[in-house]
């Protein structure tokens, strides 16, 4: 059974940092792209970062570029999202998802991203 387990969410003040983890099991990690999406109340799900496990190629949305860093630990089958300089507008539920490429980071649909984690709440207080 394929599982993506997201963890590390919480409450933080604006300007602070959090690190999210996405532990992947049940599939060949080395043949995957893992992305982080987020969804704020009343808004569409947004792709914000993606990493290809084979070569560490990364993609970021403009909304997080320069503040967030995605990294992969292939030995642990885990992808991390280090979030710095957090803003109130970063408040959302964060999801990790899997595909074979980061090409479709802007399309948050299960038709493309075949496996999803359960979501981790991140709340940034101003």
């Amino acid at each position: 059974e394929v599982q993506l387990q997201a963890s590390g969410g919480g409450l933080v003040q604006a300007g602070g940092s959090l690190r999210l983890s996405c532990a992947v099991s049940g599939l060949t990690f080395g043949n995957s792209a893992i992305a982080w999406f987020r969804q704020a109340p009343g808004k569409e799900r947004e792709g914000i970062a993606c990493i290809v496990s084979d070569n560490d190629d990364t993609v970021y949305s403009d909304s997080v570029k320069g503040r967030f860093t995605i990294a992969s630990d292939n030995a642990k089958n885990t992808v991390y999202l280090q979030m710095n300089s957090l803003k109130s507008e970063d408040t959302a539920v964060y999801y990790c998802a899997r595909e074979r490429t980061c090409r479709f980071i802007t399309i948050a649909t299960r038709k493309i991203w075949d496996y999803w984690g359960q979501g981790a709440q991140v709340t940034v207080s101003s």
Side-chain angles (χ1 to χ4, degrees), residues 9-74:
L11 174 64
V12 64
Q13 288 188 333
S17 298
L18 277 176
R19 189 178 77 160
L20 301 180
S21 299
C22 178
V24 181
S25 61
L27 54 78
T28 304
F29 191 71
N31 192 28
S32 298
I34 303 296
W36 285 98
F37 295 82
R38 66 184 182 186
Q39 189 164 20
K43 295 189 177 181
E44 292 188 353
R45 193 167 295 189
E46 172 193 20
I48 58 172
C50 183
I51 187 166
V52 180
S53 59
D54 284 347
N55 56 23
D56 285 346
D57 280 352
T58 57
V59 175
Y60 295 95
S61 67
D62 289 343
S63 59
V64 306
K65 195 174 296 182
R67 299 187 299 123
F68 291 10
T69 302
I70 190 169
S72 176
D73 185 337
N74 289 1

Side-chain angles (χ1 to χ4, degrees), residues 105-120:
I105 183 67
T106 59
I107 307 173
T109 170
R110 288 185 180 272
K111 292 182 180 180
I112 293 174
W113 300 88
D114 45 6
Y115 299 106
W116 290 79
Q118 82 285 8

Side-chain angles (χ1 to χ4, degrees), residues 3 6 13 15 21 25 30-31 33-34 41 43 78 80 86 88 94 96-98 118:
Q3 286 191 332
Q13 288 188 333
S21 299
S25 61
N31 192 28
I34 303 296
K43 295 189 177 181
T78 300
Y80 303 98
L86 283 162
S88 57
Y94 285 69
C96 54
R98 182 262 183 190
Q118 82 285 8

Side-chain angles (χ1 to χ4, degrees), residues 71-93:
S72 176
D73 185 337
N74 289 1
K76 295 182 178 180
N77 283 13
T78 300
V79 170
Y80 303 98
L81 185 68
Q82 178 66 43
M83 306 184 292
N84 298 329
S85 303
L86 283 162
K87 307 174 183 179
S88 57
E89 51 263 44
D90 294 318
T91 295
V93 178

